Amino acid sequence: LLTYSTVISACEKASKWEISLGLLANAHAISIHPDRIMYSAVMTACEKSREWSWALWLYADMVHRSHCPDAMACAAVVSACGAGREWSWALYILEEALRWQVALD
């Protein structure tokens, strides 16, 4: 888990969203259970690359797998949706953050 987290974090910093997404999928395939920190890093990589649909999909997958979203995940998805001019999705995630009682800045 630590190795995957480290590499995904490096990909996030380099905006390599495709690689980070592949690593997350591979982690699932070999029964490594990604945590919300890994999900948030991949969502942030998607945000930096303006891949709002992937960021939104990752958010939904994370919640589906029973991970409570945190401020980093919500901010990444809202920012990605905003960059893609997907205002209704951005507002939806903000409403979700309130429902999950996520403390946003």
Side-chain angles (χ1 to χ4, degrees), residues 51-103:
E51 293 291 335
W52 69 268
S53 59
W54 278 109
L56 193 60
W57 185 88
L58 287 162
Y59 175 88
D61 187 57
M62 180 180 72
V63 171
H64 174 76
R65 295 178 189 269
S66 301
H67 294 295
C68 296
D70 60 5
M72 185 174 148
C74 292
V77 178
V78 167
S79 179
C81 289
R85 298 188 178 271
E86 294 293 329
W87 310 118
S88 60
W89 283 115
L91 289 172
Y92 172 77
I93 296 301
L94 288 173
E95 290 171 359
E96 284 279 292
L98 290 173
R99 186 174 69 82
W100 285 97
Q101 300 179 342
V102 175

Side-chain angles (χ1 to χ4, degrees), residues 1-13 20 23-24 27 32-42 72:
L1 183 64
L2 181 60
T3 301
Y4 271 85
S5 293
T6 302
V7 175
I8 286 174
S9 180
C11 289
E12 175 248 319
K13 287 175 179 50
S20 62
L23 288 167
L24 188 70
I32 293 174
H33 303 290
D35 57 14
R36 72 177 170 199
I37 295 168
M38 288 175 68
Y39 271 99
S40 293
V42 178
M72 185 174 148

